[in-house]
Amino acid sequence: MTAVLPVTLLPIGVRGMKVLNRQKFLRKVVVPILKVCDEKVSEVTPICKNYFLKLENFKPIQPLKQDSENSYKIIHLNPERISHWTDIDNSDREVLQKCGITEKDLDSKEIEIMYENFKYDSIFKAVLPENEETVSGFSQIGHIIHLNLREHLLDYKKLIGEVLIDKIKTCSTVVNKNNIIDNTYRNFSMEIIAGEENYIVTVKENNCNFRFDFSKVYWNPRLCKEHERILEYLKPGDILFDVFCGVGPFSIPAAKRKCKVFANDLNPDSFTWLNFNAKQNKVNMKNFKSYNLDGKDFICKMFKDFLVNLCNGTEEIQNESKIHITMNLPAMAVEFLKHFNGLLEDKVFMEKFNYEIIVYVYCFVIGDDPYKDAEKLVKESIGCDINILNTFNVRNVSPKKEMMRVTFKLTKNIIFGLKQESECEPPSKKICVEKELKE
Ligand SMILES: C[S@@+](CC[C@H](N)C(=O)[O-])C[C@H]1O[C@@H](n2cnc3c(N)ncnc32)[C@H](O)[C@@H]1O
Ligand SMILES: *[C@@H]1O[C@H](CO)[C@@H](O)[C@H](O)[C@H]1NC(C)=O
Ligand SMILES: *[C@@H]1O[C@H](CO)[C@@H](O)[C@H](O)[C@H]1NC(C)=O
Ligand SMILES: *[C@@H]1O[C@H](CO)[C@@H](O)[C@H](O)[C@H]1NC(C)=O
């Protein structure tokens, strides 16, 4: 064999390209090939797999066009790994030799590779500025990919968007997130950099379908697992009060699991899509109520009425059923906890009150001990001692900033404002509550 010079398989001559020119990616490259007769192909394939020339839309094993009585295949190998027979591992060479394949069957061939053969990361590596951070860690929500491009990549945004649409079959819109987050509704402004201007997405999570306008409501695919964890605590017949429900990633699957659900969100668009999703997932409407209220009113009216109704017998729940309260608005949720403290004044209900209520409240903390800080924050916010069941680190949001979940029991003492002197802590200044969060 004429030695194949080691080559890179990246596109060349495209560095700095700002307007996508797919023809420019065409290049010729000399690659090693193995000539193998048809009968032996299946035997040697497992060995050759380790050395295959791996490109998009390219078959490493191809028929050899020749008119002899024997027919052959050629196996294309990776020039980044193989330039001599001895680059093939000893043991692999032995197997090949047993099949009658020797050094003389290793040859080289010039092939053409083009845009279609490169993955998006190879393209970005070849086009974008060298030695600088490239496009990384984007997320896909339905047909939308959203990016958070650094300054030095903004000139390339159109190319980046087009490449992603070409290469990711399920993507037809690419947006770049501007750093403007709507602090109330938790949605952020975004700019279309490629594809159709269509923000209505459909995603599947925890066996439910969610449809919503991604430009108007909050959705984070990274919370899927956390939603699932909470859903696992819910049993049929349980009650869920979802104070900041968004388009329903806790509420809709909970209702499907035969919980009685009270779902609330202040954003009218979230409320609209929540109701849409309840219908779309065929939720039993007898067990699903939705509200478009401020969290405070939801707690002080809807949740309170529910407790009163339980106490006076208007509402009933099974003995073993629990009441769960999810509060996923990490930047602010703790500020709503004080409304639980002394929610029921009427002491006549006290005797009857015997319910297990579990609160799952989320917060952001910055610091070296996120567990301790999260617990302290929650205790201070509610204004009395609490029985914490679990403190959990949900995800790292940015260096040193954690999204935490504190799970605690909302006891009779808290609901009736009966804290013992010793349990009382004067509400002091809040630690590490961040309102301007960038996720
Ligand atoms: C972080 S999102 C969580 C949504 C959903 N629970 C989830 O896990 O994806 C917080 C939600 O709280 C809503 N929200 C913000 N302020 C609120 C308030 N004062 N009362 C009720 N909902 C509020 C926002 O519109 C947003 O949908
Ligand atoms: C957030 O969504 C609301 C409607 O729900 C919209 O009016 C607002 O412009 C959006 N905010 C941003 C920053 O895009
Ligand atoms: C229970 O309380 C609710 C209001 O919270 C009231 O509407 C209802 O009539 C009461 N029922 C009884 C039986 O007292
Ligand atoms: C529910 O609790 C009541 C009173 O404590 C008890 O009499 C009844 O047997 C319980 N029912 C079930 C199904 O456990």
Side-chain angles (χ1 to χ4, degrees):
M1 154 195 193
T2 44
V4 179
L5 295 175
V7 292
T8 157
L9 285 170
L10 286 181
I12 48 174
V14 291
R15 173 101 41 224
M17 178 186 284
K18 298 207 172 64
V19 178
L20 181 60
N21 180 349
R22 297 176 182 82
Q23 275 71 47
K24 276 262 193 161
F25 287 80
L26 181 71
R27 61 172 290 208
K28 294 195 164 107
V29 50
V30 176
V31 301
I33 55 169
L34 262 189
K35 192 175 139 194
V36 177
C37 66
D38 277 1
E39 307 88 76
K40 294 289 177 194
V41 169
S42 58
E43 217 169 310
V44 302
T45 302
I47 297 290
C48 293
K49 257 191 185 138
N50 308 318
Y51 309 97
F52 271 175
L53 172 61
K54 287 192 190 114
L55 291 168
E56 294 287 278
N57 302 308
F58 179 85
K59 292 196 181 76
I61 303 182
Q62 294 177 18
L64 178 65
K65 287 177 195 72
Q66 66 169 37
D67 315 309
S68 70
E69 60 269 31
N70 295 317
S71 55
Y72 290 88
K73 296 268 189 299
I74 58 172
I75 302 183
H76 296 75
L77 305 179
N78 182 356
E80 291 173 328
R81 278 201 69 180
I82 307 291
S83 49
H84 293 282
W85 177 248
T86 49
D87 294 332
I88 300 174
D89 288 350
N90 235 330
S91 57
D92 291 340
R93 264 184 281 145
E94 272 170 28
V95 177
L96 291 175
Q97 265 152 352
K98 278 202 190 109
C99 297
I101 294 154
T102 60
E103 187 163 5
K104 70 172 172 20
D105 298 304
L106 181 65
D107 203 345
S108 65
K109 177 189 166 194
E110 188 180 70
I111 62 164
E112 272 190 348
I113 54 181
M114 53 195 117
Y115 183 73
E116 283 68 29
N117 300 122
F118 298 109
K119 290 191 170 154
Y120 64 80
D121 46 355
S122 305
I123 294 178
F124 293 152
K125 219 171 177 178
V127 170
L128 302 177
E130 245 172 326
N131 306 324
E132 282 191 76
E133 197 185 340
T134 171
V135 183
S136 60
F138 51 81
S139 52
Q140 188 172 355
I141 295 102
H143 69 279
I144 300 181
I145 280 185
H146 85 99
L147 304 164
N148 197 355
L149 294 177
R150 302 271 170 268
E151 191 72 30
H152 71 277
L153 292 180
L154 289 179
D155 283 349
Y156 297 90
K157 65 185 179 190
K158 210 164 142 26
L159 176 138
I160 293 169
E162 284 172 10
V163 169
L164 289 172
I165 288 181
D166 284 344
K167 297 296 176 183
I168 298 178
K169 295 287 162 284
T170 51
C171 164
S172 55
T173 300
V174 180
V175 301
N176 189 34
K177 175 171 166 179
N178 299 331
N179 271 334
I180 307 159
I181 297 189
D182 186 305
N183 258 325
T184 308
Y185 297 157
R186 316 293 324 144
N187 56 328
F188 45 81
S189 73
M190 50 187 87
E191 174 201 11
I192 300 253
I193 57 175
E196 45 165 347
E197 186 167 350
N198 172 13
Y199 296 111
I200 314 283
V201 298
T202 304
V203 299
K204 206 175 164 102
E205 195 185 276
N206 293 312
N207 291 319
C208 294
N209 291 309
F210 295 91
R211 197 168 164 78
F212 50 86
D213 183 334
F214 185 53
S215 69
K216 298 221 167 91
V217 305
Y218 177 90
W219 184 269
N220 188 341
R222 292 193 185 100
L223 290 179
C224 173
K225 193 76 203 150
E226 174 61 9
H227 294 143
E228 191 186 328
R229 278 189 287 264
I230 299 297
L231 291 168
E232 274 168 15
Y233 298 133
L234 308 183
K235 301 277 170 288
D238 281 2
I239 316 294
L240 172 66
F241 280 83
D242 192 1
V243 187
F244 310 106
C245 70
V247 297
F250 288 130
S251 288
I252 306 283
K256 292 298 282 182
R257 287 170 192 220
K258 303 195 164 38
C259 293
K260 183 163 189 170
V261 173
F262 297 82
N264 176 68
D265 202 284
L266 185 62
N267 180 350
D269 289 289
S270 298
F271 179 72
T272 303
W273 289 109
L274 169 76
N275 292 325
F276 180 95
N277 291 326
K279 272 210 198 78
Q280 175 178 240
N281 290 285
K282 302 196 168 60
V283 158
N284 179 354
M285 289 303 179
K286 264 204 345 245
N287 288 325
F288 182 86
K289 295 208 162 46
S290 57
Y291 304 89
N292 182 207
L293 300 172
D294 185 277
K296 172 180 187 266
D297 298 325
F298 182 65
I299 293 169
C300 298
K301 292 204 185 88
M302 299 310 149
F303 180 61
K304 181 178 175 178
D305 279 358
F306 180 81
L307 293 183
V308 170
N309 289 345
L310 272 185
C311 293
N312 76 11
T314 310
E315 189 88 49
E316 271 177 31
I317 61 174
Q318 291 153 20
N319 283 1
E320 326 72 44
S321 293
K322 292 182 184 170
I323 302 168
H324 308 263
I325 305 178
T326 43
M327 301 177 74
N328 182 13
L329 176 61
M332 285 173 67
V334 294
E335 293 173 31
F336 291 78
L337 290 174
K338 58 176 182 276
H339 303 302
F340 292 120
N341 195 342
L343 183 64
L344 296 186
E345 310 91 54
D346 198 339
K347 305 288 186 280
V348 301
F349 294 134
M350 261 186 70
E351 251 172 79
K352 289 221 63 189
F353 193 93
N354 182 25
Y355 305 103
E356 181 147 354
I357 309 176
I358 317 281
V359 176
Y360 309 84
V361 64
Y362 295 84
C363 58
F364 292 126
V365 294
I366 295 168
D368 295 325
D369 196 345
Y371 293 88
K372 203 170 130 238
D373 289 349
E375 293 179 0
K376 188 160 177 245
L377 178 60
V378 169
K379 282 182 187 173
E380 287 180 353
S381 307
I382 198 159
C384 59
D385 205 7
I386 49 171
N387 178 1
I388 292 176
L389 301 172
N390 180 231
T391 304
F392 184 77
N393 190 334
V394 179
R395 68 185 201 96
N396 172 259
V397 178
S398 57
K400 288 224 146 192
K401 176 168 166 180
E402 312 294 328
M403 172 177 173
M404 306 293 292
R405 178 210 333 131
V406 177
T407 306
F408 71 93
K409 267 195 186 171
L410 196 54
T411 57
K412 198 165 173 172
N413 276 358
I414 302 174
I415 291 282
F416 288 93
L418 296 179
K419 51 216 164 179
Q420 315 283 306
E421 279 300 313
S422 65
E423 290 172 330
C424 269
E425 280 176 30
S428 58
K429 73 174 179 4
K430 308 227 157 62
I431 47 163
C432 305
V433 194
E434 251 218 339
K435 290 194 188 155
E436 305 294 323
L437 59 137
K438 280 195 252 153
E439 277 190 48

